[in-house]
Amino acid sequence: MSSVPRIARAVPEGTVTRAEPPIAVIVTMRWSTGETTDVRAEAIAWTRRAVQVRWRPPGGAVRTDWVSAEDVRRPGRPLP
């Protein structure tokens, strides 16, 4: 049985907007261990405060998760 990465997830509230096509993004994943990792992902939906991303954890299968909008940026944009 493979282990499932545990990340901080956001709860979407309000109107959800779907991306067609998905938008390339970089997400700062916040792990349950307190570590953070920047990963390439695709934004597939969003609300004002949360973004649903499709991504692949190291050694894992593609998955989708809702994360805080504050942790999502377009590639090439500097960190705040």
Side-chain angles (χ1 to χ4, degrees):
M1 173 186 256
S2 64
S3 65
V4 176
R6 297 187 188 273
I7 61 166
R9 291 181 178 80
V11 176
E13 295 179 6
T15 303
V16 174
T17 302
R18 298 276 172 204
E20 284 297 330
I23 300 167
V25 294
I26 303 294
V27 181
T28 300
M29 291 294 179
R30 300 184 182 281
W31 302 92
S32 59
T33 61
E35 296 177 74
T36 60
T37 306
D38 286 344
V39 298
R40 294 187 183 277
E42 294 179 316
I44 57 175
W46 59 85
T47 66
R48 289 180 69 80
R49 295 192 175 112
V51 179
Q52 187 179 34
V53 295
R54 181 170 42 222
W55 66 293
R56 180 184 305 270
V62 173
R63 55 186 283 169
T64 60
D65 290 292
W66 283 94
V67 297
S68 172
E70 294 175 349
D71 292 330
V72 179
R73 65 187 187 280
R74 297 293 300 266
R77 295 194 57 193
L79 291 171

